[in-house]
Amino acid sequence: MATIKIIDNKATSNRLMIGENTLHFMGLQNGLDDDGKAVIMDEAMHVLGQCIRPGINDNITNIAVGYVQSGKTLSFTTLTALAADNGWRVVVYLTGTKTNLQEQTSKRLQKDLDIDNTDTYRMYTDIIDSVSVVNNARNFLKLSDEVLLFPILKHYKHISRLANIFTQLRPELDGKGCIIIDDEADQSSFNTYAKKNSQSEEWEEDEFSKTYSSILDLKNSLPNHSYVQYTATPQAAFLIDNNDILSPKFHTVLTPGKGYTGGKEFFKNKDRDVVELIPDDQINDPKNPLTSLPATLIDALKEFLISVAIVVIIQKRMKFLSMMVHIDGRRASNEKFASWINEKTQEWMDFLTAPDGDPAKKFTINGFHEAYQKIIKYMDGAPSFDETMQVMQRAIMLTQTHLVQGGDSDNDINWNSDKGHILVGADMLNRGFTIEKLSMTYMPRTSKSKATADTIEQRCRFFGYKSSYFDVCRVYLPAKSIVEYNDYVDHEETLRTSLKQCTSIAEFSQHSSSMLMAESLNPTRTNILSSKLVRTKLSGWRGLRSLFGIEENKTVCKQFLANWNDTDFKLFKDYDGNILRNHRYIKCDIDTFVKFFKQIKYGDVPNITRKIVTLQYLAYLKESQNIQYIYVFEMAFGAKEVKDLRYRSLVDGESKPNNLMAGRAANGSYDGDEKICFDDAVCVQLHHIRIEQPLNKLHNKDLYNLEFYYPNSVANSFVGLEDNEDYE
């Protein structure tokens, strides 16, 4: 059994080891050589080394960045085996937003981990009967050593159901190591209401996407957990603020295995031109729909059938090949094009079986000859055209068209049943879905304005391990998409290089140039970015009222105040020694305050988001407005005993303090807390209060909450991102 030393973090007290489970798993990976296995294990060890160790009740979010179709599933399956070897007891997989992806992941875990033949794992693929799952899991957690696996759909109902199960198991989970693996982490996990919230003037009206909220519930249900994001498009994770619950702290850059062909090979290889142009007039625009198969799609179909005839039937290099046709995002388009493709291939079959001398037969053969010349361009030892055409009828007969979308369409492909597969669909063929042996891609789908980088990259199902048949791989794209993909490859390589040079996301964040990309692209979906919140909502007073982390936050606030001497403070106004009305302030540089505020913890989505927006705004003021200082007020600082503090009741008797700020005195003797600020500066009030709520467990509990004042003089100059519009 090998032992490997890994990077230390706060949760690392001993060394990780590669044990029997990992060795058994790797022994089943017949397609990998020893070097490939070593790389995968080393990178999975790096991921695990940044996780919270069993025995420590804490949490962390990290990210693993790979290429599209490069083997991320193999990486997190290796991570699972390593976790089993090192004492982790629970692994959750957020498998994707569609049922076919959950089934695909579950079946692969079952097979790759050899679950049916080992006693290491217990997998729960059905958690609808939560009572049964709770009882069963409790017994296994208490009485055995099995690692409990939960592959679930990334849907708020499924995530919330699992969170409820874990809440009931919290005593048994205490100190037990848990890993949450978010596959395709940038899809659906982030708050999709961030942009919409920017239209509301009041924070209390904010909305939060159900999936985002349910993930927070899942995290809060586990005393020990590490949330590991797996994605090839990490732009969203890096662009949301580094205090978001889904923002990673550490990263691992995954290395593709031998034979991987990705963006560099398709778009930057000067020796092979495998990208074909789809003219704009052959794009199926909803406003100007096509009435028949475009000429370029007919060319692509012929080239694909030639590939099947040569590579699969004659050379027997591959058992089958696949073609993807991705027109746009509408079901009607998929159905229309699938029907046209079936009609065209049957037409070719009819013409090829016609008597010699038939004009249609001759015309068809000539068309296939043009396709033959194009497809053998990079092929060594290609058979003659005549040899190829001798098996063409068989190639057509053994090629099946699949309509891949929701409902009753053909989503479960039996790959080995035919020699060729033509898959017609849209979102079902996007991220997470593996198209086996994909050699031909026809994808006119594009955006009207700037494309979103992470979205278009996830459509690259044509990337993958294709070295054994890359000579027949072709991609048909519109001119706009070709430019965008070329620009994206440059961005991706720069991003990966920067990540490799940094040990943490905090270090990476200091190098803003690493996220620069060409003008042709937007980095991610604007609905998950809250930049406009700063512009429209951060003016006047905004409070962060919370009962979360009372003791931890109190310690942080007291330590912050203790860093200043009494002589550093100034009295705002003297109200004759009234300890509840006398307040003092300090002039605090933004960096010092940000360091303090980042330590304040919130457990609810609204306050987490408000904290993120506030930190974004402070960074903007410093970098763009050259504002270096803010004012921090210690409210009612004269109260030294808990009994002397200002007291506040709770909203609905339990959820949060009813208010923080004292109002204006009726007789005019006190102007009210809203006047305790400077009109032209960002000001923060630290309110040390006690809870006045008889019969509540928090009665007489003291805590700190914060109020922020944002002056209008600088609030309106923060600019958000532009919108993106897709054909769908």
Side-chain angles (χ1 to χ4, degrees):
M1 183 179 297
T3 301
I4 297 178
K5 188 174 182 179
I6 54 105
I7 300 172
D8 289 339
N9 67 9
K10 63 180 179 179
T12 302
S13 58
N14 52 23
R15 295 185 297 174
L16 296 175
M17 64 182 182
I18 296 175
E20 295 179 0
N21 294 298
T22 307
L23 294 174
H24 177 67
F25 166 69
M26 278 297 166
L28 299 175
Q29 307 308 308
N30 298 323
L32 290 173
D33 59 19
D34 290 343
D35 290 341
K37 292 178 182 179
V39 169
I40 290 171
M41 286 193 292
D42 182 61
E43 291 174 351
M45 288 285 278
H46 188 268
V47 175
L48 191 61
Q50 304 293 2
C51 292
I52 302 298
R53 292 297 184 88
I56 301 174
N57 284 346
D58 203 347
N59 70 86
I60 196 169
T61 298
N62 298 323
I63 192 168
V65 181
Y67 285 115
V68 169
Q69 297 286 89
S70 66
K72 295 184 294 297
T73 303
L74 179 60
S75 175
F76 68 65
T77 309
T78 307
L79 178 65
T80 302
L82 283 169
D85 282 333
N86 289 276
W88 272 263
R89 293 297 310 279
V90 177
V91 182
V92 176
Y93 310 86
L94 306 183
T95 60
T97 61
K98 295 179 173 59
T99 303
N100 66 329
L101 298 182
Q102 181 192 14
E103 294 173 351
Q104 179 177 283
T105 300
S106 298
K107 289 178 180 178
R108 181 161 179 181
L109 288 169
Q110 189 89 19
K111 175 179 177 292
D112 288 358
L113 293 173
D114 200 21
I115 290 177
D116 293 338
N117 298 311
T118 67
D119 295 326
T120 302
Y121 310 99
R122 179 166 182 81
M123 183 184 291
Y124 296 86
T125 56
D126 185 357
I127 59 172
I128 293 178
D129 186 354
S130 59
V131 175
S132 175
V133 173
V134 167
N135 291 334
N136 189 268
R138 177 178 287 124
N139 292 332
F140 275 94
L141 288 170
K142 291 171 64 176
L143 304 174
S144 71
D145 297 323
E146 278 90 346
V147 181
L148 310 186
L149 310 180
F150 294 86
I152 65 170
L153 203 64
K154 194 190 295 188
H155 184 279
Y156 75 94
K157 289 184 179 179
H158 296 252
I159 300 171
S160 296
R161 186 178 296 128
L162 186 59
N164 179 59
I165 289 171
F166 286 155
T167 298
Q168 297 178 67
L169 292 171
R170 195 171 178 86
E172 290 76 22
L173 289 168
D174 186 61
K176 302 287 197 308
C178 176
I179 297 174
I180 304 171
I181 294 172
D182 188 349
D183 191 17
E184 304 297 346
D186 61 301
Q187 183 189 32
S188 301
S189 300
F190 301 110
N191 183 26
T192 57
Y193 282 97
K195 181 179 178 181
K196 179 181 177 182
N197 289 340
S198 70
Q199 310 305 317
S200 169
E201 290 294 330
E202 297 298 330
W203 277 353
E204 300 301 329
E205 299 174 8
D206 283 357
E207 295 182 64
F208 302 92
S209 57
K210 293 178 180 179
T211 301
Y212 180 77
S213 298
S214 66
I215 289 174
L216 177 60
D217 291 339
L218 178 64
K219 287 169 63 66
N220 284 337
S221 71
L222 292 162
N224 170 307
H225 73 271
S226 303
Y227 193 94
V228 182
Q229 304 167 325
Y230 272 82
T231 183
T233 48
Q235 290 81 9
F238 295 151
L239 286 172
I240 62 173
D241 187 85
N242 61 4
N243 282 269
D244 190 284
I245 58 171
L246 299 186
S247 177
K249 301 300 181 289
F250 296 98
H251 64 279
T252 302
V253 180
L254 304 178
T255 305
K258 294 179 181 178
Y260 178 75
T261 50
K264 290 187 293 184
E265 287 76 18
F266 277 95
F267 295 101
K268 300 295 182 179
N269 190 337
K270 296 180 180 180
D271 297 327
R272 290 193 177 187
D273 184 9
V274 298
V275 178
E276 300 285 348
L277 175 67
I278 302 175
D280 289 346
D281 61 359
Q282 294 186 32
I283 296 175
N284 189 59
D285 190 323
K287 295 180 180 179
N288 297 289
L290 298 177
T291 57
S292 62
L293 279 178
T296 47
L297 180 50
I298 293 174
D299 291 342
L301 286 169
K302 290 176 181 176
E303 291 169 27
F304 176 67
L305 292 171
I306 290 288
S307 301
V308 172
I310 295 175
V311 174
V312 181
I313 298 177
I314 296 175
Q315 296 179 339
K316 301 187 185 304
R317 259 196 283 161
M318 311 299 297
K319 291 183 177 180
F320 61 88
L321 290 175
S322 299
M323 176 178 183
M324 179 179 78
V325 180
H326 188 144
I327 301 300
D328 55 39
R330 299 175 303 149
R331 296 175 64 91
S333 298
N334 299 333
E335 294 166 358
K336 178 173 67 175
F337 273 79
S339 176
W340 285 347
I341 289 170
N342 282 327
E343 291 173 3
K344 179 58 67 174
T345 54
Q346 184 57 48
E347 177 185 280
W348 289 334
M349 177 65 79
D350 294 339
F351 290 160
L352 290 175
T353 56
D356 292 341
D358 185 290
K361 181 175 183 178
K362 184 177 180 180
F363 179 80
T364 302
I365 291 174
N366 288 338
F368 273 102
H369 187 264
E370 294 177 12
Y372 168 83
Q373 294 290 350
K374 292 176 65 175
I375 211 67
I376 67 166
K377 184 176 181 180
Y378 305 114
M379 188 182 297
D380 295 327
S384 68
F385 176 67
D386 289 340
E387 290 178 273
T388 303
M389 291 307 295
Q390 287 176 12
V391 300
M392 181 52 64
Q393 295 176 37
R394 184 162 180 79
I396 296 174
M397 287 190 298
L398 294 176
T399 295
Q400 182 178 354
T401 301
H402 308 270
L403 181 60
V404 183
Q405 54 187 6
D408 299 327
S409 61
D410 191 2
N411 300 329
D412 189 11
I413 310 296
N414 183 356
W415 298 105
N416 291 311
S417 64
D418 288 290
K419 303 299 183 182
H421 298 277
I422 301 173
L423 281 66
V424 184
D427 292 338
M428 291 290 287
L429 300 180
N430 267 346
R431 62 175 73 237
F433 188 85
T434 300
I435 303 177
E436 300 286 349
K437 308 297 184 292
L438 176 61
S439 66
M440 181 65 64
T441 297
Y442 188 87
M443 189 166 63
R445 186 176 186 179
T446 187
S447 57
K448 292 181 178 179
S449 56
K450 278 189 181 182
T452 300
D454 51 6
T455 300
I456 66 167
E457 181 69 356
Q458 286 293 349
R459 291 174 185 161
C460 291
R461 299 298 97 191
F462 48 91
F463 293 171
Y465 293 90
K466 303 179 181 297
S467 59
S468 57
Y469 60 97
F470 189 54
D471 53 350
V472 295
C473 287
R474 300 292 186 273
V475 181
Y476 279 77
L477 296 169
K480 182 174 182 293
S481 294
I482 293 174
V483 172
E484 291 165 349
Y485 279 118
N486 272 281
D487 289 341
Y488 185 88
V489 172
D490 292 335
H491 159 73
E492 180 178 50
E493 293 306 312
T494 301
L495 176 64
R496 286 174 61 87
T497 299
S498 297
L499 286 170
K500 289 178 181 178
Q501 294 171 347
C502 302
T503 59
S504 67
I505 298 301
E507 182 183 353
F508 166 75
S509 298
Q510 297 173 5
H511 306 287
S512 58
S513 61
S514 62
M515 279 298 288
L516 291 179
M517 59 176 55
E519 284 297 315
S520 64
L521 298 170
N522 275 331
T524 189
R525 308 168 306 287
T526 58
N527 64 343
I528 67 171
L529 300 178
S530 56
S531 57
K532 284 191 176 180
L533 282 169
V534 178
R535 178 176 177 177
T536 61
K537 301 175 75 172
L538 292 191
S539 61
W541 286 102
R542 294 291 182 266
L544 284 82
R545 292 178 288 156
S546 172
L547 300 177
F548 186 82
I550 289 177
E551 295 303 321
E552 297 94 326
N553 289 341
K554 183 163 56 176
T555 298
V556 171
C557 290
K558 287 186 174 181
Q559 288 176 344
F560 172 74
L561 293 171
N563 288 332
W564 307 85
N565 298 317
D566 286 342
T567 55
D568 296 325
F569 287 90
K570 294 182 180 180
L571 186 66
F572 184 74
K573 185 177 180 180
D574 190 354
Y575 285 94
D576 296 325
N578 187 325
I579 62 173
L580 297 183
R581 292 182 176 179
N582 279 0
H583 320 292
R584 61 181 184 174
Y585 67 91
I586 51 173
K587 187 178 181 181
C588 178
D589 67 272
I590 285 181
D591 287 342
T592 298
F593 180 79
V594 165
K595 183 178 180 181
F596 151 70
F597 188 47
K598 283 183 176 181
Q599 298 177 71
I600 299 295
K601 295 183 177 180
Y602 296 103
D604 61 302
V605 176
N607 275 322
I608 289 171
T609 303
R610 293 161 189 169
K611 176 182 175 181
I612 291 168
V613 171
T614 299
L615 289 167
Q616 287 177 339
Y617 182 52
L618 293 175
Y620 163 74
L621 291 180
K622 180 185 175 185
E623 296 172 9
S624 300
Q625 298 294 310
N626 197 30
I627 295 175
Q628 304 297 320
Y629 294 91
I630 64 173
Y631 291 91
V632 180
F633 288 77
E634 184 183 8
M635 305 297 288
F637 70 95
K640 304 301 181 184
E641 302 291 335
V642 172
K643 63 181 179 62
D644 298 325
L645 296 173
R646 288 174 163 182
Y647 62 88
R648 298 290 183 264
S649 61
L650 300 179
V651 175
D652 299 326
E654 58 181 25
S655 63
K656 60 185 176 182
N658 192 44
N659 57 62
L660 295 178
M661 305 179 77
R664 182 179 182 277
N667 61 7
S669 60
Y670 182 64
D671 295 330
D673 287 359
E674 287 192 354
K675 298 298 183 180
I676 311 302
C677 66
F678 298 107
D679 291 339
D680 59 350
V682 175
C683 300
V684 182
Q685 294 180 352
L686 289 181
H687 289 261
H688 191 189
I689 60 174
R690 67 178 176 88
I691 300 301
E692 182 76 17
Q693 196 74 35
L695 304 181
N696 188 290
K697 63 181 180 180
L698 294 179
H699 181 60
N700 280 330
K701 190 76 171 178
D702 69 303
L703 67 153
Y704 280 87
N705 272 193
L706 289 78
E707 284 276 355
F708 285 79
Y709 173 73
Y710 307 99
N712 289 325
S713 58
V714 294
N716 293 324
S717 55
F718 196 98
V719 180
L721 298 175
E722 63 182 90
D723 293 339
N724 175 59
E725 185 180 3
D726 197 325
Y727 276 141
E728 62 182 312

